[in-house]
Amino acid sequence: MNRTKGTTRISQTAEGQAQMLANRKISGTYTFQNGVKKTYTGSYELNALKFMDQVMNINPDDIMCPGPILEYTYEGKEHMYITDFYYVPYNLIIEVKDGGKNPNKRNMPEYRGKQIAKEEFIINETDFNYLRLTDNDMSQLLAVFMDLKMQLVDETMDRVVHVNEAMTALTTGYIPGFKDTGSVYIVNNMQN
């Protein structure tokens, strides 16, 4: 394996992690109305795909799922992060999570720490727009699309970040260029 893949653990490669996600019991394939198939990992992701297809009538060719694979640092170590969705026309990464009215009540400090590190990476080190879609609340998806559409209409260079949960660690003042409007964060003309 080291000779062919460059590692002794397949899970340390992007290809290996994607394969592990696809093989999970909760993973599957959704067929859009036009016959295009997209993979998902979990019921929340499936619900998002159904909404984008059946309600928003989004062209499935504009959606990558899983989305881009990013590398971020957490506690001094590099980690791979496979995003849930990437909507190409708006340069938008969509992460689908529990939360909101259905919070995960398990004590998971490492998981939460990694989530914050991923979001900090996306906000500070990339030029992606970002949505953390929580609790199957598809109005959040509509809201980010409206904000992004307005950015196009206004011809601004602003990035849009919607995190639909308390962002305590991200609102401590060390993210330059952000306006705090509740759970919506807009990066003003931020060049990376």
Side-chain angles (χ1 to χ4, degrees), residues 160-178:
V160 174
V161 176
H162 286 217
V163 177
N164 296 291
E165 240 181 357
M167 248 178 82
T168 310
L170 293 177
T171 58
T172 55
Y174 63 87
I175 298 176
F178 268 86

Side-chain angles (χ1 to χ4, degrees), residues 1 4-5 31 38 51 72 78 111 119 128 131 136-137 149 152 157 172 180 185 192:
M1 189 180 309
T4 60
K5 302 288 185 189
T31 304
K38 295 289 180 177
F51 187 83
Y72 70 99
E78 293 295 314
Y111 173 81
E119 288 176 345
F128 293 113
L131 166 65
N136 284 319
D137 183 353
K149 180 67 174 178
L152 290 174
M157 296 290 293
T172 55
D180 179 354
Y185 299 82
N192 288 322

Side-chain angles (χ1 to χ4, degrees), residues 86-174:
Y86 176 64
Y87 183 65
V88 178
Y90 284 156
N91 191 34
L92 174 66
I93 288 180
I94 303 169
E95 282 299 296
V96 184
K97 302 289 182 201
D98 57 10
K101 295 176 186 148
N102 186 28
N104 189 328
K105 295 184 176 156
R106 290 182 295 164
N107 184 18
M108 303 182 304
E110 182 178 4
Y111 173 81
R112 297 292 181 211
K114 284 181 178 179
Q115 181 66 36
I116 290 168
K118 291 172 193 177
E119 288 176 345
E120 288 175 352
F121 175 78
I122 289 173
I123 292 165
N124 293 318
E125 305 296 329
T126 75
D127 64 351
F128 293 113
N129 295 302
Y130 178 71
L131 166 65
R132 186 195 316 165
L133 176 66
T134 57
D135 197 22
N136 284 319
D137 183 353
M138 298 308 161
S139 68
Q140 298 166 0
L141 186 61
L142 294 172
V144 79
F145 270 63
M146 288 188 320
D147 281 352
L148 288 164
K149 180 67 174 178
M150 287 308 299
Q151 302 297 34
L152 290 174
V153 169
D154 294 342
E155 297 180 357
T156 68
M157 296 290 293
D158 294 349
R159 288 174 52 217
V160 174
V161 176
H162 286 217
V163 177
N164 296 291
E165 240 181 357
M167 248 178 82
T168 310
L170 293 177
T171 58
T172 55
Y174 63 87

Side-chain angles (χ1 to χ4, degrees), residues 15 28 54 57 62 109 145 153 170 188:
E15 176 186 283
Q54 298 169 11
N57 201 31
D62 290 339
F145 270 63
V153 169
L170 293 177
N188 296 304

